[in-house]
Amino acid sequence: MAYETITSETQGAVTLITLNRPEALNALNSTVLGELQQAFAAFEADNSQHCAVVTGSGDKAFAAGADIKEMVDKQAADFFLEDFFAGWNDMTAKTRKPWIAAVNGFALGGGCELAMMADFIVASENARFGQPEIKLGVAPGMGGSQRLTRAVGKSKAMDLCLTGRMMDAEEAERAGLVSRIVPHDQLMDEAMKAAQAIAGMAPMAAMVNKELVDAAYETTLQQGMLHERRVFQILTATEDRKEGMAAFVEKREANWKGR
Ligand code: CAA
């Protein structure tokens, strides 16, 4: 599929989606959203694809935010009637397969929010994260105030949202926003290697692991534990559970059926 503002390609069982507006630091406009929605839907529907990586083109940015030039002349009623930004969360909420954000530079505003929608973030040592919307007279609109607070706690989320400052990859990793930092020139290798490893797992188990960790944000500990236990028990009915355990005992590689 040919896109205008992103690229999407498959490498084995991994879909690599690249935000491709380097001249605008990969700012996220409605064309990007429409194309990402198509790319995510294609990834989700393709039974040969088991994990995705999203990154930004160029050396400078993952995405420097929602496209300010697209927003500058809009009226409040337009934002409200279009339910502006709702599509981002809808798109990622519909994606049951795992995906990774490979953050190669600025991840600001909507860029930071898109990265936080991923199941985890692998960051280049050049990555910079922030929610600078306050400097534009607004506030985050794609989940920044909510997801950042859950990821790094109140104090740092307040600091970032209220001052609009950026944090570097080291600070982001210390704060728990980022799962690993890698040298800039190894970012894509490492992110793709992680994605290939995930894509090599039993597919339903990968989807269920994602669902369970996500559920931890939405529920109480006791309800979450019960949900986890029941899901574990149900997963034992799959062919892949029998294969996975038999392969361990027989000291061989598992041959997943995805059933
Ligand atoms: N929207 C539109 N265009 C953007 C952009 C954005 N968010 N960020 C950068 N660009 C464009 C610039 O306008 C510039 O284009 P021109 O050459 O045509 O002028 C080009 O990208 C390169 O940017 P700079 O010249 O500014 O590059 P720099 O290295 O000097 O600075 C930067 C980099 C610090 C990231 C700076 O570009 C910047 O501050 N960008 C805006 C960051 C921001 O405020 N993001 C939040 C947006 S609002 C939002 O995201 C709301 C939400 O919650 C979803």
Side-chain angles (χ1 to χ4, degrees), residues 22-25 27 60 64-69 71 85 106 108-111 113 131-133 136 138-142 166:
E23 71 291 348
L25 302 187
K60 225 173 142 181
D67 192 319
I68 299 165
K69 292 169 188 167
M71 295 187 289
F85 293 144
F106 293 117
L108 302 176
E113 292 165 306
Q131 296 294 158
E133 289 88 344
L136 303 170
V138 285
M142 277 165 56
M166 295 183 212

Coordinates of all heavy atoms in Angstrom, one line a residue, residues 22-25 27 60 64-69 71 85 106 108-111 113 131-133 136 138-142 166, ligand 1:
P22 N 9.8 14.1 7.6 CA 10.9 14.5 8.3 C 11.1 16.1 8.2 O 11.6 16.7 9.1 CB 12.1 13.8 7.6 CG 11.6 13.3 6.3 CD 10.1 13.1 6.5
E23 N 10.6 16.7 7.1 CA 10.7 18.1 7.0 C 9.9 18.9 8.0 O 10.1 20.0 8.4 CB 10.3 18.6 5.5 CG 8.8 18.5 5.2 CD 8.2 17.1 5.0 OE1 9.0 16.1 5.0 OE2 7.0 16.9 5.0
A24 N 8.9 18.2 8.6 CA 8.0 18.8 9.7 C 8.3 18.0 11.0 O 7.4 18.0 11.9 CB 6.6 18.7 9.3
L25 N 9.5 17.4 11.1 CA 9.8 16.6 12.3 C 8.7 15.6 12.6 O 8.4 15.3 13.7 CB 10.1 17.5 13.5 CG 11.2 18.5 13.3 CD1 11.6 19.2 14.6 CD2 12.5 17.9 12.7
A27 N 5.6 15.7 12.3 CA 4.4 16.2 13.0 C 3.1 15.4 12.6 O 3.0 15.0 11.4 CB 4.2 17.7 12.8
K60 N 16.2 13.1 13.5 CA 15.9 14.2 14.5 C 14.7 13.9 15.4 O 14.7 14.3 16.6 CB 15.7 15.5 13.8 CG 16.4 16.6 14.4 CD 16.4 17.9 13.6 CE 16.2 19.1 14.5 NZ 16.1 20.3 13.7
A64 N 7.4 15.4 16.5 CA 7.4 16.6 17.3 C 6.0 17.1 17.7 O 5.9 18.3 18.1 CB 8.2 17.7 16.6
G65 N 5.1 16.3 17.7 CA 3.7 16.7 18.2 C 2.7 16.7 17.1 O 2.9 16.4 16.0
A66 N 1.5 17.0 17.6 CA 0.4 17.2 16.6 C 0.8 18.4 15.8 O 1.6 19.3 16.2 CB -0.9 17.6 17.4
D67 N 0.3 18.4 14.5 CA 0.7 19.5 13.6 C 0.1 20.8 14.0 O -1.1 21.0 13.8 CB 0.3 19.1 12.2 CG 1.0 19.9 11.1 OD1 1.1 21.2 11.3 OD2 1.4 19.4 10.1
I68 N 0.9 21.7 14.5 CA 0.5 23.0 14.9 C -0.1 23.8 13.8 O -1.1 24.6 13.9 CB 1.6 23.8 15.7 CG1 2.1 22.9 16.9 CG2 1.1 25.1 16.1 CD1 3.4 23.4 17.5
K69 N 0.5 23.7 12.6 CA 0.1 24.4 11.4 C -1.3 24.0 11.0 O -2.1 24.8 10.5 CB 1.1 24.3 10.3 CG 2.4 25.0 10.6 CD 3.5 24.6 9.6 CE 4.8 25.2 10.1 NZ 6.0 24.6 9.3
M71 N -3.6 23.1 13.2 CA -4.5 23.5 14.2 C -4.7 25.0 14.3 O -5.7 25.4 14.9 CB -4.0 22.9 15.6 CG -4.0 21.4 15.7 SD -3.6 20.9 17.4 CE -1.9 21.3 17.5
F85 N -8.5 14.4 17.9 CA -7.6 13.5 18.7 C -8.2 12.2 19.1 O -7.5 11.3 19.5 CB -7.0 14.1 19.9 CG -6.1 15.3 19.7 CD1 -6.0 16.4 20.5 CD2 -5.2 15.3 18.6 CE1 -5.1 17.4 20.3 CE2 -4.3 16.3 18.3 CZ -4.3 17.4 19.2
F106 N 13.1 13.6 19.0 CA 12.0 14.3 19.7 C 10.8 13.5 19.7 O 10.3 13.0 18.7 CB 11.7 15.6 19.1 CG 12.8 16.7 19.1 CD1 13.4 17.1 18.0 CD2 13.2 17.2 20.3 CE1 14.4 18.1 18.0 CE2 14.3 18.1 20.4 CZ 14.8 18.6 19.2
L108 N 7.5 14.7 21.3 CA 6.9 15.8 22.0 C 5.4 15.9 21.8 O 5.0 15.5 20.7 CB 7.6 17.1 21.6 CG 9.1 17.2 21.7 CD1 9.6 18.5 21.1 CD2 9.5 17.1 23.2
G109 N 4.7 16.3 22.8 CA 3.3 16.5 22.7 C 2.6 15.2 22.2 O 2.9 14.1 22.7
G110 N 1.9 15.2 21.0 CA 1.3 14.1 20.4 C 2.3 13.0 20.1 O 2.0 11.8 20.1
G111 N 3.6 13.3 19.9 CA 4.6 12.3 19.6 C 4.9 11.5 20.8 O 5.1 10.3 20.8
E113 N 2.8 11.2 23.2 CA 1.6 10.5 23.5 C 1.4 9.3 22.6 O 1.0 8.2 23.1 CB 0.4 11.5 23.3 CG 0.4 12.5 24.4 CD -0.5 13.7 24.1 OE1 -0.3 14.3 23.0 OE2 -1.4 14.1 24.9
Q131 N 5.9 17.1 27.1 CA 4.5 17.6 26.8 C 4.5 19.1 26.9 O 4.1 19.7 27.9 CB 3.5 17.0 27.9 CG 3.5 15.5 27.9 CD 2.8 14.8 26.7 OE1 3.1 13.6 26.4 NE2 2.0 15.5 25.9
P132 N 5.0 19.7 25.8 CA 5.1 21.2 25.8 C 3.9 22.0 25.4 O 3.9 23.2 25.2 CB 6.2 21.4 24.8 CG 6.0 20.3 23.8 CD 5.4 19.1 24.5
E133 N 2.7 21.3 25.5 CA 1.5 22.0 25.0 C 1.2 23.3 25.7 O 0.6 24.2 25.2 CB 0.2 21.1 25.1 CG 0.2 19.9 24.2 CD 1.0 18.7 24.6 OE1 1.8 18.8 25.6 OE2 0.8 17.6 24.1
L136 N 1.9 26.4 24.2 CA 1.0 26.9 23.1 C -0.3 27.4 23.7 O -1.3 27.6 22.9 CB 0.7 25.7 22.1 CG 2.0 25.0 21.5 CD1 1.6 23.7 20.8 CD2 2.6 26.0 20.5
V138 N -2.3 25.5 25.6 CA -3.2 24.4 25.7 C -2.7 23.4 26.7 O -1.8 23.7 27.5 CB -3.6 23.8 24.3 CG1 -4.5 24.7 23.5 CG2 -2.3 23.4 23.5
A139 N -3.2 22.2 26.6 CA -2.8 21.1 27.4 C -2.7 19.8 26.5 O -3.2 19.9 25.4 CB -3.8 20.9 28.6
P140 N -2.1 18.7 27.0 CA -2.1 17.5 26.2 C -3.5 17.1 25.8 O -4.5 17.4 26.5 CB -1.5 16.5 27.1 CG -0.7 17.3 28.1 CD -1.4 18.5 28.3
G141 N -3.7 16.5 24.6 CA -5.0 16.1 24.1 C -5.1 14.7 23.7 O -6.2 14.2 23.3
M142 N -4.0 14.0 23.6 CA -4.0 12.6 23.2 C -3.6 11.7 24.3 O -3.1 10.6 24.0 CB -3.0 12.5 22.0 CG -3.6 12.8 20.6 SD -2.3 13.0 19.3 CE -1.5 11.5 19.4
M166 N 11.8 19.3 28.3 CA 12.0 18.0 27.7 C 12.8 17.2 28.7 O 13.6 17.7 29.5 CB 12.8 18.1 26.4 CG 12.1 18.8 25.3 SD 13.2 18.7 23.8 CE 12.7 20.3 23.1
Ligands
CAA1 N1 3.7 21.0 14.0 C1 4.0 21.4 12.8 N2 5.3 21.7 12.4 C2 6.3 21.4 13.2 C3 6.1 20.9 14.5 C4 4.7 20.7 14.9 N3 4.4 20.1 16.1 N4 7.3 20.7 15.1 C5 8.2 21.1 14.2 N5 7.6 21.5 13.1 C6 8.2 22.0 11.9 C7 8.7 23.4 12.0 O1 7.7 24.4 11.9 C8 9.8 23.5 11.0 O2 9.2 23.7 9.7 P1 9.6 24.9 8.8 O3 11.0 24.7 8.4 O4 8.6 24.9 7.6 O5 9.5 26.2 9.6 C9 10.4 22.1 11.0 O6 9.4 21.3 11.6 C10 11.7 22.0 11.8 O7 11.4 22.5 13.1 P2 12.3 23.6 13.8 O8 12.9 24.5 12.8 O9 11.5 24.2 14.9 O10 13.5 22.6 14.4 P3 14.4 22.9 15.7 O11 15.4 21.9 15.7 O12 14.8 24.3 15.7 O13 13.4 22.7 16.9 C11 11.7 21.5 18.2 C12 12.9 21.4 17.2 C13 12.2 21.9 19.5 C14 11.1 20.1 18.3 C15 10.6 22.5 17.7 O14 10.4 22.2 16.3 C16 9.4 22.5 18.4 O15 9.3 23.1 19.5 N6 8.3 22.0 17.9 C17 7.0 22.0 18.4 C18 6.9 21.0 19.6 C19 5.5 21.1 20.2 O16 5.0 22.1 20.7 N7 4.7 20.0 20.2 C20 3.4 19.9 20.7 C21 2.4 20.2 19.6 S1 0.7 20.3 20.3 C22 0.2 18.7 20.6 O17 0.9 17.8 20.3 C23 -1.1 18.5 21.2 C24 -1.4 17.2 21.7 O18 -1.5 16.9 22.9 C25 -1.7 16.1 20.8

